[in-house]
Amino acid sequence: MRADVLTTADIAAGPLPAIEPVPGLVWAFRIPSDGNAESINIEQPLDLRGDGLLWLHFNLADQRADKWLASADLDIPAMGRALLLSRDNFQQIHAADDCIYGVFSDLVRAIDTVTEETGYLHFAMTERLLVSGRHHALCAVDATRRVLESGQRIASAADLLETIVEHVAETMERVAENVATKLDTIEEKVLSDDDSDLRRDLGRLRRTCVRLHRQLSGLLLIFRRLDMQTANAVKPGLRIRAGKFALRLDSLDHVVAEMRERSRLLHEELHLKIEEQTNKSIHLLSVLTALLLPPTLVTGIFGMNTKGLPLTESEGGFLTAAVLIIASSALAYFIMKRFGIVR
């Protein structure tokens, strides 16, 4: 037996009996006309009686949730239901007369922190129902759940979706601020010649900037399109302030793009400093080789152990050979000094 859900027609018709808990449901809220959200116990069969907006949030990694959503009597168009159940990672929003559905990115949430991994929220929204789902725990929807539990009022389905998007932007802003702080630290180390393990840290920050830019540019594009589509295309209760979000995302994207460019310049500067240090080491090694080559030649000659070698019978032979060794090194140094090889 399957659980039923609330549709616009069902609300008008009156209470419906719930049969069993909905599988894969992470949380559910009922938001009546006064805007105060009421949490629904998902361990019990859903009681869908009463007016107001329902927010049902699913774990789409649970195949039972996919089956339930595919068969449930939801007041969502076929295209919206298909996108809700898909594993599509392409950010998009579509608007119809009585439904908005799409996919947008968010950052994956660990147990107690925000990760740099990208996750995707699938949703379909009518004036009476918001169904959302994800395959990984996401930051924005969890933050929205907490603010609903704290008493924030929600005026409409569009207001609820806007709250989710606002938390997406806030999460990315926090990550961007963290990246900026780390870039400041790395820049100080580069300028102070303390470049130990900086390439690895800088590479990680550049990767974070690229991911954020990719997410923000995608979100910016879909909200700009939505701003042009929803002027008269959807009902008033579904009209999202897409223009406002586009401006905020555009501003944040500019900040992230600047940090990406800054990280690239820091990486180039660090690379040049490493090359300079390598060249100094090679130069020092070359000078030492040039200084030791003549003494090596002298010792090689006196070490041939053949007849006719000079100074073999002389009492001061060793001292003379030592003087030749020192003199050959001094001569090599003088020649390199003369040609500017050493300073």
Side-chain angles (χ1 to χ4, degrees):
M1 299 180 71
R2 66 175 181 84
D4 211 339
V5 297
L6 188 64
T7 66
T8 304
D10 295 331
I11 294 173
L16 290 174
I19 300 174
E20 60 184 13
V22 177
L25 188 60
V26 182
W27 64 69
F29 285 91
R30 178 185 292 110
I31 306 173
S33 57
D34 62 1
N36 292 314
E38 302 170 359
S39 179
I40 298 174
N41 185 359
I42 62 173
E43 300 297 332
Q44 300 294 327
L46 281 177
D47 182 6
L48 303 177
R49 294 171 297 179
D51 294 333
L53 168 68
L54 280 181
W55 179 21
L56 306 177
H57 184 62
F58 288 88
N59 175 15
L60 298 180
D62 190 336
Q63 293 184 356
R64 299 174 304 159
D66 286 356
K67 293 178 180 178
W68 187 89
L69 287 169
S71 61
D73 184 19
L74 298 174
D75 190 18
I76 297 173
M79 292 295 294
R81 191 192 300 258
L83 187 59
L84 181 65
L85 296 175
S86 72
R87 298 188 68 91
D88 199 339
N89 292 339
F90 175 71
Q91 297 191 85
Q92 54 193 293
I93 292 182
H94 306 277
D97 180 61
D98 55 357
C99 182
I100 291 180
Y101 55 93
V103 178
F104 57 81
S105 64
D106 189 12
L107 295 178
V108 173
R109 178 179 59 85
I111 296 176
D112 57 351
T113 186
V114 178
T115 71
E116 297 178 0
E117 185 181 352
T118 302
Y120 295 89
L121 180 71
H122 296 237
F123 74 93
M125 178 180 70
T126 68
E127 287 188 305
R128 294 285 188 175
L129 179 67
L130 173 62
V131 179
S132 61
R134 48 58 169 185
H135 293 90
H136 304 90
L138 302 178
C139 295
V141 287
D142 186 68
T144 303
R145 174 187 61 82
R146 291 196 299 270
V147 299
L148 291 184
E149 291 175 344
S150 67
Q152 177 174 317
R153 294 189 176 186
I154 299 297
S156 63
D159 190 23
L160 178 56
L161 187 61
E162 286 179 359
T163 304
I164 296 174
V165 177
E166 284 176 354
H167 283 100
V168 171
E170 288 177 2
T171 301
M172 293 185 180
E173 284 174 351
R174 289 197 301 270
V175 174
E177 290 172 358
N178 185 41
V179 171
T181 302
K182 290 181 178 179
L183 283 176
D184 290 339
T185 303
I186 289 177
E187 188 173 27
E188 289 292 333
K189 289 184 178 180
V190 170
L191 294 177
S192 63
D193 294 329
D194 181 12
D195 53 7
S196 56
D197 297 328
L198 291 186
R199 284 186 295 178
R200 181 185 59 189
D201 296 338
L202 194 54
R204 186 182 301 113
L205 294 179
R206 290 186 67 188
R207 184 171 60 251
T208 301
C209 289
V210 169
R211 288 178 175 177
L212 286 177
H213 175 67
R214 187 183 302 122
Q215 291 178 253
L216 287 169
S217 60
L219 282 171
L220 178 60
L221 179 61
I222 64 176
F223 278 106
R224 280 177 174 169
R225 289 178 177 174
L226 185 63
D227 187 36
M228 294 184 292
Q229 291 176 0
T230 57
N232 298 309
V234 297
K235 297 178 180 179
L238 297 177
R239 292 178 186 173
I240 301 172
R241 295 172 293 175
K244 168 192 170 184
F245 291 116
L247 289 175
R248 180 176 183 181
L249 293 171
D250 185 46
S251 176
L252 181 56
D253 188 41
H254 276 87
V255 172
V256 171
E258 289 175 0
M259 289 194 302
R260 184 183 62 174
E261 181 65 16
R262 182 183 173 194
S263 65
R264 184 185 67 82
L265 293 175
L266 280 173
H267 190 272
E268 290 180 357
E269 184 174 355
L270 182 61
H271 184 67
L272 289 175
K273 290 192 66 174
I274 293 174
E275 282 189 349
E276 183 180 356
Q277 292 174 356
T278 303
N279 291 336
K280 287 181 179 179
S281 299
I282 294 175
H283 178 74
L284 178 61
L285 181 61
S286 300
V287 170
L288 290 176
T289 302
L291 289 175
L292 293 176
L293 183 60
T296 303
L297 179 62
V298 173
T299 56
I301 291 174
F302 282 100
M304 288 189 296
N305 199 23
T306 59
K307 291 184 177 182
L309 286 176
L311 307 178
T312 54
E313 303 298 332
S314 174
E315 293 293 334
F318 174 77
L319 181 61
T320 303
V323 170
L324 287 175
I325 290 174
I326 296 173
S328 63
S329 292
L331 179 61
Y333 178 79
F334 174 77
I335 293 174
M336 289 188 290
K337 184 77 172 179
R338 181 68 176 80
F339 286 95
I341 298 176
V342 295
R343 297 178 181 178

